[in-house]
């Protein structure tokens, strides 16, 4: 696919991204949701983050594998994030554990 | 620009800065993917500026390159971006007194990490200038970081290490954001149910399982908030 079709596809994907993103922010008062729904949406960040993160920790090659290097690294990251406020530590130690298990021990 | 706006922007930036490094490997991977698919530098960066959504870009790229019908490309992107509809609804109240000409670019800038970090304050802080700064500061930083590192990936596609599991840094960033959110019991329920559902529903096409899992998690959190006795946040 070349030239104009390529850019038409980009424009389409752009619309399919920015219509949902802009929707309620741009419409504002004209599309206010019922209070019960607004209350429920307080849980959206936690539910969404977990839904995005969980498969990348527990699923290996399409199958659930609870015990894998990513899981071990994730447990360490969770413990560090619960215990210390330092924002860089989870990255340094988490990647250290993952790479140590994969490269050092060959998992 | 006023002082309260800048103070808000500074606070938001400071919170988002360490988490934003999780964007870097994703941006690099996206840049490499765009180049590997055969796009020129102008085409790759054009798509990146127009779309600004790593998952949607990487997932639709094979379809675009293979010449798939436009409706399929559009529907795939829409399915992958449905979560933003939920995010937009959840954070919209924080923009109710922000002028339209600023709300439109705000929608463009709304990405997962900023949404997760900013929503609570966006809904609770009264000062409009501080609140908008708190959103815009990290959003612009995330945007700039993303563009720079996609460009790095596009230009350096051949030279980057492939097997360092760097994509896991994005997972770490999201977990670090998730931990403080889950200190409230109902939030923890929302997260656990959302996470388990997402793993169980991973077989659904177009990653629709993630959307369904988010909805199930929200409902579980909402019910838990009604049923469980409220414990003060730690």
């Amino acid at each position: 696919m070349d030239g104009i079709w390529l850019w038409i596809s980009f424009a389409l994907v752009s619309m399919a991204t920015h219509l949902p993103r802009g929707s309620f922010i741009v419409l504002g008062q004209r599309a206010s949701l019922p209070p019960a729904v607004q209350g429920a949406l307080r849980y959206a960040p936690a539910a969404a983050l977990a839904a995005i993160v969980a498969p990348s920790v527990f699923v290996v090659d399409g199958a659930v594998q609870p015990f894998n290097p990513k899981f071990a690294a994730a447990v360490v990251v969770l413990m560090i994030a619960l215990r210390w406020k330092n924002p860089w530590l989870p990255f340094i130690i988490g990647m250290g554990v993952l790479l140590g298990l994969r490269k050092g021990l060959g998992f | 620009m006023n002082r309260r706006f800048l103070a808000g922007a500074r606070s938001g930036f400071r919170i988002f800065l360490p988490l934003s490094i999780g964007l870097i490997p994703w941006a690099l991977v996206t840049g490499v993917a765009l180049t590997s698919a055969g796009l020129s530098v102008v085409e790759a960066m054009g798509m990146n500026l127009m779309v600004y959504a790593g998952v949607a870009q990487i997932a639709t790229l094979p379809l675009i390159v293979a010449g798939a019908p436009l409706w399929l490309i559009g529907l795939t992107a829409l399915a992958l971006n449905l979560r933003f509809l939920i995010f937009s609804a959840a954070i919209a109240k924080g923009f109710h007194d922000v002028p339209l000409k600023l709300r439109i670019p705000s929608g463009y800038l709304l990405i997962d990490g900023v949404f997760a970090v900013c929503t609570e304050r966006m809904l609770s802080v009264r000062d409009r200038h501080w609140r908008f700064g708190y959103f815009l500061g990290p959003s612009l930083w995330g945007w700039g970081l993303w563009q720079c590192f996609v460009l790095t990936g596009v230009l350096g596609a051949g030279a980057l290490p492939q097997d360092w599991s760097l994509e896991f840094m994005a997972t770490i960033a999201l977990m670090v954001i998730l931990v403080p959110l889950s200190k409230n019991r109902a939030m923890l329920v929302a997260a656990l149910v959302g996470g388990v559902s997402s793993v169980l529903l991973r077989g659904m096409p177009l990653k629709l399982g993630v959307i369904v899992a988010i909805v199930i998690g929200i409902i579980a959190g909402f019910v838990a908030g009604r049923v469980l006795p409220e414990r003060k946040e730690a």
Side-chain angles (χ1 to χ4, degrees), chain B residues 4-228:
Chain B
R4 284 169 296 153
F5 173 86
L6 288 175
R10 214 173 297 131
S11 303
F13 172 74
R14 209 173 292 142
I15 290 187
F16 187 59
L17 174 63
L19 305 167
S20 66
I21 66 166
L23 283 174
I24 294 175
W26 254 110
L28 289 172
V29 168
T30 303
V32 172
L34 293 171
T35 308
S36 315
L39 300 188
S40 70
V41 176
V42 172
E43 289 162 352
M45 291 315 287
M47 183 196 203
N48 199 49
L49 285 168
M50 287 165 77
V51 181
Y52 184 45
V55 178
Q57 283 169 248
I58 293 180
T60 55
L61 208 52
L63 298 175
I64 294 175
V65 172
L70 287 175
W71 63 265
L72 182 63
I73 296 170
L75 273 186
T76 305
L78 205 56
L80 293 168
N81 288 324
L82 265 184
R83 70 183 187 285
F84 289 125
L85 194 69
I86 299 174
F87 294 177
S88 192
I91 203 171
K93 216 173 136 236
F95 292 94
H96 72 278
D97 48 6
V98 172
L100 181 65
K101 66 174 193 288
L102 295 176
R103 293 208 304 272
I104 292 173
S106 299
Y108 170 83
L109 289 169
L110 184 70
I111 54 174
D112 303 69
V114 171
F115 167 73
V117 167
C118 291
T119 301
E120 204 190 330
R121 291 279 186 99
M122 287 295 288
L123 300 185
S124 62
V125 172
R126 284 226 160 152
D127 184 329
R128 166 163 74 99
H129 297 285
W130 193 95
R131 176 164 22 94
F132 187 60
Y134 191 77
F135 173 82
L136 203 61
S139 292
L140 287 177
W141 167 255
W143 184 86
L145 201 65
W146 179 262
Q147 302 299 337
C148 286
F149 280 92
V150 169
L151 184 61
T152 308
V154 166
L155 297 176
L160 292 164
Q162 302 288 319
D163 61 339
W164 281 86
S165 313
L166 291 180
E167 75 290 342
F168 193 70
M169 283 169 67
T171 306
I172 296 179
L174 296 177
M175 284 174 57
V176 172
I177 303 171
L178 181 58
V179 166
L181 284 180
S182 308
K183 288 209 164 142
N184 165 314
R185 273 154 106 191
M187 288 286 181
L188 185 60
V189 170
L192 288 176
V193 173
V196 171
S197 309
S198 177
V199 170
L200 295 178
L201 297 171
R202 69 187 179 284
M204 286 179 72
L206 299 178
K207 295 205 173 195
L208 281 171
V210 175
I211 313 297
V212 179
I214 293 174
V215 174
I216 297 175
I218 291 173
I219 294 170
F222 183 67
V223 171
R226 290 283 164 99
V227 175
L228 293 175

Side-chain angles (χ1 to χ4, degrees), chain A residues 3 5 8 15-16 21-23 30 32 35 37 47 55 58 61 64 69 72 88 95 101:
Chain A
W5 283 106
I8 290 174
M15 271 168 53
R21 270 186 189 165
S23 58
R30 273 169 293 168
S32 59
V37 176
F58 292 107
D61 297 327
V64 177
W88 306 102
M95 289 308 291
L101 285 172

Side-chain angles (χ1 to χ4, degrees), chain A residues 51-64:
Chain A
I52 294 170
V53 165
S56 60
V57 170
F58 292 107
V59 178
V60 180
D61 297 327
V64 177

Side-chain angles (χ1 to χ4, degrees), chain A residues 29-86:
Chain A
Q29 308 284 43
R30 273 169 293 168
S32 59
L33 294 162
V37 176
Q38 285 188 13
L41 286 174
R42 277 179 41 224
Y43 300 99
L49 283 172
I52 294 170
V53 165
S56 60
V57 170
F58 292 107
V59 178
V60 180
D61 297 327
V64 177
Q65 264 187 42
F67 299 102
N68 69 70
K70 288 185 295 180
F71 174 71
V75 170
V76 174
V77 167
L78 276 186
M79 290 192 317
I80 294 169
L82 283 169
R83 178 75 181 74
W84 286 291
K85 285 268 179 226
N86 184 316

